[in-house]
């Protein structure tokens, strides 16, 4: 066992959120599609939201926040309302930094 496919997709997507331009936009959309799947919403999505919080607190780049916020917006645009309601407080905490 090495890293699974979902782990690799998530790792590469997160790494690309700091790139300028279309790469960042594509990574945000990819992560949102991946993390809003019904089988991913509980564990992986919460983990991603926590990663977003830590990343925004510790980054020195000006590109990373744009990618993180783009991914968050895509998650809440593409996700199912009922499954995202309990994640709103965590997302609001991230966005109020």
């Amino acid at each position: 066992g090495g890293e699974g496919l979902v782990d690799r997709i998530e790792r590469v997507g997160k790494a690309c959120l700091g790139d300028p331009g279309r790469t960042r936009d594509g990574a945000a959309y990819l992560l949102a599609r991946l993390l809003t799947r019904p089988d991913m919403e509980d564990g992986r999505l919460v983990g991603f939201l926590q990663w977003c919080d830590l990343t925004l607190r510790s980054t020195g780049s000006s590109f990373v926040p744009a990618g993180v916020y783009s991914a968050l917006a895509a998650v809440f645009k593409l996700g199912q309302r009922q499954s995202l309601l309990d994640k709103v407080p965590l997302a609001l905490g991230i966005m109020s930094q």
Side-chain angles (χ1 to χ4, degrees):
E3 185 179 40
L5 178 62
V6 172
D7 295 323
R8 284 185 294 191
I9 292 170
E10 188 175 353
R11 180 177 48 80
V12 171
K14 286 175 178 177
C16 291
L17 288 178
D19 292 350
R22 290 181 170 225
T23 304
R24 177 183 61 216
D25 299 339
Y29 181 79
L30 173 75
L31 286 167
R33 276 287 180 206
L34 176 70
L35 297 170
T36 56
R37 287 176 34 150
D39 58 334
M40 301 281 177
E41 288 176 341
D42 288 329
R44 290 228 181 239
L45 182 53
V46 170
F48 177 73
L49 293 173
Q50 292 168 339
W51 175 86
C52 289
D53 188 35
L54 286 171
T55 301
L56 289 172
R57 290 178 192 276
S58 63
T59 190
S61 168
S62 60
F63 293 113
V64 173
V68 169
Y69 288 130
S70 180
L72 287 172
V75 163
F76 281 90
K77 179 179 180 182
L78 299 172
Q80 295 295 316
R81 184 176 195 217
Q82 276 306 112
S83 59
L84 292 174
L85 282 175
D86 62 330
K87 293 155 187 85
V88 169
L90 181 55
L92 285 175
I94 294 167
M95 290 183 246
S96 65
Q97 296 185 39

